[in-house]
């Protein structure tokens, strides 16, 4: 089972592969099954050339695994990982020479 616990689009700034990107998708995903659980934070910068443009480009993307262990998904683990999303996403953004404008969301947060 693969579930997006959190997903949201934000204004951002990044130039990657000579393309300016003005939006970022940030997510927290959990994968669980067969007695194992894995949480991952991701960031993907995309051009966002107008209000309607949410075409994700996967070349300016970073991922970081937060937890990979035996067990299953729990509310406590979800909350622990959600609390780390902003810091981890900022690290990933910095590794791509980008910044996320947390105070400028392009969409409402989606929780699953």
């Amino acid at each position: 089972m693969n579930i997006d616990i959190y997903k949201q689009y934000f204004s951002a700034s990044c130039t990657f592969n000579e393309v300016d990107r003005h939006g970022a998708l940030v997510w927290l995903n959990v994968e669980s099954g067969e007695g194992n659980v894995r949480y991952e934070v991701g960031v993907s910068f995309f051009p966002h050339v107008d209000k309607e443009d949410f075409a994700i480009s996967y070349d300016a993307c970073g991922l970081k695994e937060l937890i990979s262990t035996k067990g299953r998904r729990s509310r406590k683990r979800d909350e622990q990982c959600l609390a780390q999303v902003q810091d981890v996403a900022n690290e990933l953004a910095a590794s791509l020479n980008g910044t996320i404008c947390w105070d400028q969301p392009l969409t409402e947060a989606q929780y699953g």
Side-chain angles (χ1 to χ4, degrees):
M1 184 184 321
N2 195 331
I3 299 169
D4 285 328
I5 294 174
Y6 165 79
K7 180 169 76 169
Q8 190 167 12
Y9 294 83
F10 293 91
S11 289
S13 177
C14 181
T15 300
F16 194 86
N17 285 339
E18 300 178 12
V19 176
D20 291 333
R21 287 100 191 311
H22 305 286
L25 170 60
V26 178
W27 70 89
L28 172 63
N29 183 272
V30 63
E31 190 176 303
S32 69
E34 299 180 14
N36 297 304
V37 65
R38 182 176 171 273
Y39 287 82
E40 176 180 78
V41 171
V43 172
S44 183
F45 288 96
F46 60 100
H48 194 60
V49 293
D50 61 47
K51 288 175 152 183
E52 311 265 326
D53 178 21
F54 287 89
I56 301 301
S57 50
Y58 292 97
D59 62 339
C61 182
L63 301 168
K64 182 173 181 181
E65 185 177 85
L66 299 181
I67 296 174
S68 183
T69 188
K70 294 232 179 265
R72 58 183 173 179
R73 180 181 177 194
S74 70
R75 182 167 296 203
K76 182 178 178 182
R77 281 192 178 136
D78 286 2
E79 290 171 1
Q80 289 171 339
C81 291
L82 272 169
Q84 298 178 56
V85 167
Q86 238 180 36
D87 290 338
V88 172
N90 283 335
E91 289 173 21
L92 293 169
S95 74
L96 297 166
N97 295 316
T99 57
I100 301 165
C101 302
W102 296 104
D103 59 343
Q104 297 175 29
L106 298 174
T107 63
E108 295 292 322
Q110 299 173 354
Y111 297 93

